[in-house]
Amino acid sequence: MDNILTQQEAMLRSGQISEVDYTLKIKLEKGSQEYEGETTVRFVYSGGKKGKLKVDFVSKKIEILWLNGKEETNYEKKESAFFLPGELLAEGKNELKVKYKNVFDHSGSGFHKFTDPSDKAEYMHTDFEPFEAHRLFPSFDQPDLKATYELEITGPSEWTYIHNTVPKSEETQGNYKNIKFNKTKKFSTYLFSLIVGPYAVWEDKAGEIPLRIFCRKSLSKYMDAENLFAITKEAFGFLQEYFAVSYPYGKYDQIFVPEFNMGAMENVGAVTFSESYIFRGPRIYSEYLNRANTVYHEMVHMWFGNLVTMKWWNDLWLNESFADYLSYYSMSKGKIFPDALEHFYVREEWAYREDQLSTTHPIAGKAENTLEAISNFDGISYSKGASVLRQLMYYVGEEKFRDAMRLYFKRHAEKNTVLNDFLSCMSETSGIDIRGWSKEWLETTGVNTLSPVRQNGRLFLYQGPSATNGLLRTHALQASLFREKNGNLEEVWKKRVLVKGKETLLEENYSGEADLLLLNTEDFAYAKTYLSKESLPILKRSLHTLKDRFSRRVVWGSLWQMVRDAELSPKEFLELALDQGLKEPDLSVRNSHILTKALTVIDNYIPEAEKRNWSDKLNSIAKEKSLLAQNPEQEQILWFRILENTSKSIEQLSYLKELLDQKKSIPGIAMDQERRWVILSRLSAYGDPESSKRIEEEVAKDNTDLGAKKAFLAKVSFPDPETKRESWERFLKPKEGDSTDFLRYGMRGFQWNHQKQLLVSYTDSYFNLVISVYETRDPHFASAFGHMMFPSFEPDPSLLKRTQEFLDQNKKLPELLKKDLQQQRDDMQRTLKVLEKYKD
């Protein structure tokens, strides 16, 4: 696989090339797997006519190439680029024109094509981050060679064509339409977009900014355009004023595209979203909030990432950390989701997990090439970076933080930046030299642990070093003390604390006993926090009486960190969850911090012999609670999910089957298509003899692409050697038309913990084949295979040993595979440590 650009190549090229602009002509035909293109690249060259100039391009066939008006054949073509000899180039202005044919991609990236089985409509979309624009057109595909783009497209007249700008002319002749789009502003190649197909459209305005929402016709009945427009307008209202820079790109389109690999992508003026955000049935509050957050996140990128772009992918955090934090912060200032920062606290668990893995990296990381860049789209660049920015805002003050953003955009609009550019702006506006703070936070790895300590009449806070490097850091945070009074927990004090070194004094003359000291209330700091062992009896009695919801979240978040660090017995957590947790009045707290975590504990952190007992307890609670007719709809959704997730015995599965056949019902729960597939997959996984017939009947009723994918998942789930063998072979040698997304659904159904005996033989196959998968398949498929097909049926010391030996024996593994396997190993080590400590 040579489809990689190194940082060294990019630096060399940006030293030779400047003032780039592209003119593109694309021709599309109905029913074809190919398209025609003609691209003209104008640029200024100053490379001294030495060596070769690399032009990134993946193509089926270059038909003709002209350089400065003359046909040229003296170039070297590789899989993902062609090289022009330096002596052919003119010092100064050059014009390169390439006429070519190309094939559509089916990996979700590049120029992806999808046919909707329900109405045979064809849809295409681009997805180019970090290094895929050259799949559509020859380009200098790196973020610091910003360019303008002028697109002309010809294709079937019934299709809609969406680009970064609006059309300046449109002509229809017979069955074809020709559209010329306005020239774009300057931006990086990965932000170019072209979306095509017979889309349904909704229109509105945010002030003077035209807004449009698109989705494919077969899903239009589910589109909640009114809600999405309301969120979009609220976001524009806040961000333009906050950044003191008007939205730079004219119009704002949001397009929900099929088989998208990520949640969304911030293409200039034409944001693409995963169709998973089109809700086909009622959802719980946190899912609506998460969707809104994605809308906000992509809009923040119009400034952070699009207007001002990192120079190279090692500074990915200059895009993602800011979008991650400012999206939640902005939402918290609005009226639709004012509690957004509580949900930001939930998201930070991603950062804490990844920062404790051996694969962690500094927020201001490194990316020697574009493949390594892909691996940096992780919990560090997003969630840890965001959390550290929240800490910085608390440290310097909200207004100074905002003013630094304003200075940053004023100084660097339409340019590329590095870490020091941001630090300079923050230092200037805050009056504090932020470089020292950066060295402590942005340029190191690891997370500190803060614990309350009572000793000799003193109450203080102890800071534990980050595990691998022993670092202690400066933390600005809030601490709150609660005391039991008449069976209720009431706040005694709340104070801002600056933590430095190992110990920080909170109270000199401390006499409390039945107290709960809660560290990092309102979540200003990036640190794991523990609760004192003395406060556990208080929590078992009175946790539900704590009035402040955010504080209850922090309690449960601290308990969860203690379980993962083997500082709290998993059984003790489950007992608390199934008592105090059921008294938690807020459904999103109950879902994210209590019931979801209880399921994780049962699956991972208690001995095999006890799993069924705890699962049965939770199943019984869910069944009982779901039958209460007075429950609100969101609570019913929650209980149904727990019920389905814990159904394992013949009796429990029979109950699901009766729900499926509507012989029994749960108040407020309609047996819609999504729930039917969920139940069918579980029945199939547990070997229900009717499942194969039922899947065929269901897929006949659900003729959508999602129906086909969920049917594939359900079929693959069946515990039969032949079924597993056939699906394994299909993952490795897909049938014609199998997209990466389709195969991902199948992989989700392959491994079930209770099928260990059936699956154990695939351990050898996995380790024998996984290197070739990462070397020959697209990164999205390879990563899905690496994660989902890893033989993690249950924690097992022999699998841990096998994984470590594989890493030791293969020193030159593909970087993505190496990272994926190291993370699997680290997770196993953590799980086995918890199991070993609490095995009795």
Side-chain angles (χ1 to χ4, degrees), residues 33-53:
Q33 286 303 315
E34 295 184 2
Y35 58 92
E36 294 176 16
E38 183 180 297
T39 297
T40 303
V41 192
R42 296 173 195 85
F43 58 95
V44 170
Y45 171 75
S46 56
K49 294 180 170 282
K50 294 173 186 170
K52 295 175 179 177
L53 177 64

Side-chain angles (χ1 to χ4, degrees), residues 145-368:
L145 286 175
K146 290 191 169 187
T148 59
Y149 309 83
E150 209 163 352
L151 172 66
E152 178 182 339
I153 190 151
T154 304
S157 54
E158 68 266 37
W159 289 353
T160 300
Y161 300 86
I162 307 154
H163 178 48
N164 307 95
T165 56
V166 294
K168 64 180 175 186
S169 70
E170 192 170 315
E171 289 180 18
T172 302
Q173 289 188 334
N175 296 326
Y176 287 90
K177 189 188 287 184
N178 176 271
I179 301 176
K180 292 177 181 173
F181 288 91
N182 281 313
K183 191 173 191 173
T184 70
K185 290 196 170 186
K186 275 177 75 172
F187 55 77
S188 304
T189 47
Y190 76 91
L191 297 164
F192 179 97
S193 68
L194 173 59
I195 299 103
V196 180
Y199 280 93
V201 61
W202 294 260
E203 299 187 51
D204 205 332
K205 272 193 160 189
E208 294 303 306
I209 304 163
L211 307 178
R212 296 188 296 179
I213 290 171
F214 297 87
C215 80
R216 54 182 159 124
K217 284 183 177 178
S218 62
L219 296 180
S220 60
K221 61 187 173 188
Y222 303 113
M223 178 50 70
D224 188 7
E226 190 178 337
N227 173 255
L228 289 165
F229 278 136
I231 293 159
T232 307
K233 290 178 201 175
E234 186 182 75
F236 267 127
F238 180 82
L239 291 171
Q240 292 191 102
E241 190 278 328
Y242 184 72
F243 293 144
V245 176
S246 296
Y247 172 64
Y249 303 114
K251 58 93 177 178
Y252 197 72
D253 293 333
Q254 296 176 100
I255 311 103
F256 293 79
V257 298
E259 302 195 319
F260 202 59
N261 283 318
M262 314 298 279
M265 177 61 208
E266 66 269 18
N267 313 305
V268 164
V271 177
T272 42
F273 291 86
S274 162
E275 289 180 340
S276 62
Y277 289 121
I278 301 175
F279 297 152
R280 303 175 203 212
R283 298 298 177 99
I284 58 175
Y285 176 78
S286 59
E287 289 166 317
Y288 288 106
L289 183 143
N290 289 342
R291 178 173 73 175
N293 176 255
T294 304
V295 171
Y296 264 86
H297 180 109
E298 303 312 316
M299 194 183 292
V300 173
H301 273 312
M302 296 299 133
W303 289 268
F304 272 107
N306 296 9
L307 183 64
V308 181
T309 313
M310 80 257 134
K311 184 173 177 59
W312 179 250
W313 300 102
N314 53 333
D315 276 318
L316 176 67
W317 76 282
L318 284 170
N319 285 11
E320 298 302 347
S321 301
F322 285 89
D324 213 57
Y325 176 50
L326 290 173
S327 56
Y328 284 97
Y329 176 76
S330 307
M331 289 169 77
S332 75
K333 301 294 185 183
K335 292 180 179 175
I336 304 175
F337 294 105
D339 59 340
L341 287 170
E342 293 188 41
H343 295 261
F344 177 70
Y345 176 71
V346 179
R347 182 169 170 82
E348 281 173 307
E349 288 172 2
W350 183 24
Y352 293 133
R353 176 190 170 268
E354 293 216 355
D355 207 13
Q356 294 175 85
L357 296 169
S358 60
T359 53
T360 189
H361 57 86
I363 295 166
K366 70 178 185 69
E368 289 178 8

Side-chain angles (χ1 to χ4, degrees), residues 677 680-681 684 695-696 699 704-718 723-735 738-750 752 781 789:
W677 280 121
L680 271 173
S681 296
S684 178
I695 291 165
E696 294 306 322
V699 83
T704 64
D705 64 298
L706 199 58
K709 288 165 186 169
K710 294 201 168 180
F712 186 38
L713 187 161
K715 286 174 189 171
V716 171
S717 299
F718 194 73
T723 300
K724 299 295 182 186
R725 186 189 64 76
E726 285 176 1
S727 54
W728 177 271
E729 288 178 3
R730 188 166 178 180
F731 302 148
L732 296 170
K733 293 180 182 173
K735 294 181 180 179
D738 283 353
S739 66
T740 295
D741 196 51
F742 179 83
L743 295 169
R744 256 196 304 253
Y745 270 88
M747 285 188 265
R748 281 177 203 152
F750 190 81
W752 293 73
F781 176 88
M789 307 307 285

Side-chain angles (χ1 to χ4, degrees), residues 434-483:
I434 298 297
R435 284 170 185 79
W437 176 89
S438 170
K439 289 200 177 342
E440 194 174 20
W441 283 106
L442 300 177
E443 299 167 51
T444 64
T445 63
V447 57
N448 297 109
T449 305
L450 307 177
S451 312
V453 179
R454 300 172 171 90
Q455 206 170 55
N456 303 326
R458 297 163 80 236
L459 180 64
F460 59 90
L461 183 160
Y462 173 80
Q463 179 180 188
S466 48
T468 54
N469 53 24
L471 288 174
L472 298 174
R473 296 177 178 84
T474 305
H475 307 261
L477 57 86
Q478 196 172 263
S480 302
L481 186 71
F482 300 90
R483 186 162 291 156

Side-chain angles (χ1 to χ4, degrees), residues 501-735:
K502 281 189 179 179
E503 291 183 10
T504 303
L505 184 66
L506 295 174
E507 269 197 27
E508 183 66 61
N509 299 304
Y510 172 72
S511 58
E513 285 301 325
D515 285 349
L516 168 67
L517 176 61
L518 201 52
L519 302 174
N520 202 22
T521 45
E522 294 186 55
D523 186 39
F524 293 111
Y526 174 75
K528 291 189 297 176
T529 57
Y530 285 175
L531 302 164
S532 69
K533 295 287 169 68
E534 297 93 326
S535 65
L536 286 174
I538 301 165
L539 295 176
K540 287 176 181 177
R541 291 191 300 269
S542 305
L543 171 52
H544 69 286
T545 68
L546 196 57
K547 286 192 178 75
D548 180 59
R549 182 180 61 200
F550 206 158
S551 295
R552 296 197 306 274
R553 278 191 194 278
V554 174
V555 169
W556 286 106
S558 299
L559 289 168
W560 177 241
Q561 295 295 352
M562 292 170 75
V563 170
R564 291 192 79 245
D565 289 352
E567 294 292 333
L568 175 69
S569 156
K571 291 177 200 170
E572 204 162 2
F573 179 88
L574 287 173
E575 285 163 1
L576 201 53
L578 300 190
D579 177 32
Q580 286 292 315
L582 298 182
K583 296 171 186 170
E584 168 56 53
D586 185 86
L587 282 175
S588 67
V589 176
R590 203 191 306 168
N591 174 48
S592 57
H593 293 289
I594 302 166
L595 294 175
T596 304
K597 296 298 188 294
L599 286 172
T600 305
V601 168
I602 292 167
D603 283 345
N604 296 287
Y605 295 141
I606 56 175
E608 195 64 31
E610 296 178 42
K611 286 184 179 183
R612 181 58 72 85
N613 179 37
W614 283 103
S615 179
D616 286 348
K617 277 185 190 175
L618 199 48
N619 184 274
S620 177
I621 290 166
K623 187 175 180 180
E624 179 192 331
K625 298 281 188 187
S626 70
L627 294 174
L628 300 175
Q630 71 270 26
N631 285 344
E633 180 183 52
Q634 296 220 343
E635 183 159 5
Q636 292 299 79
I637 293 170
L638 199 53
W639 288 126
F640 174 78
R641 289 178 184 177
I642 298 294
L643 181 74
E644 181 275 323
N645 239 296
T646 53
S647 290
K648 296 168 184 176
S649 70
I650 292 170
E651 183 188 350
Q652 290 161 353
L653 293 164
S654 295
Y655 182 63
L656 287 187
K657 199 189 282 193
E658 287 178 309
L659 291 172
L660 183 68
D661 294 336
Q662 298 184 19
K663 291 176 181 173
K664 288 194 174 166
S665 63
I666 294 173
I669 292 289
M671 201 44 55
D672 61 23
Q673 193 59 67
E674 291 200 15
R675 292 192 180 110
R676 295 182 69 78
W677 280 121
V678 161
I679 292 175
L680 271 173
S681 296
R682 182 159 285 269
L683 293 175
S684 178
Y686 280 87
D688 187 292
E690 296 177 351
S691 59
S692 179
K693 177 170 167 278
R694 283 174 174 269
I695 291 165
E696 294 306 322
E697 289 170 355
E698 203 65 39
V699 83
K701 287 184 244 170
D702 183 6
N703 69 337
T704 64
D705 64 298
L706 199 58
K709 288 165 186 169
K710 294 201 168 180
F712 186 38
L713 187 161
K715 286 174 189 171
V716 171
S717 299
F718 194 73
D720 164 66
E722 188 60 19
T723 300
K724 299 295 182 186
R725 186 189 64 76
E726 285 176 1
S727 54
W728 177 271
E729 288 178 3
R730 188 166 178 180
F731 302 148
L732 296 170
K733 293 180 182 173
K735 294 181 180 179

Side-chain angles (χ1 to χ4, degrees), residues 75-94:
Y75 61 89
E76 180 189 0
K77 180 73 179 89
K78 293 281 188 75
E79 181 193 335
S80 65
F82 59 85
F83 296 82
L84 297 170
E87 63 263 21
L88 297 179
L89 296 161
E91 284 289 329
K93 292 183 179 179
N94 287 261

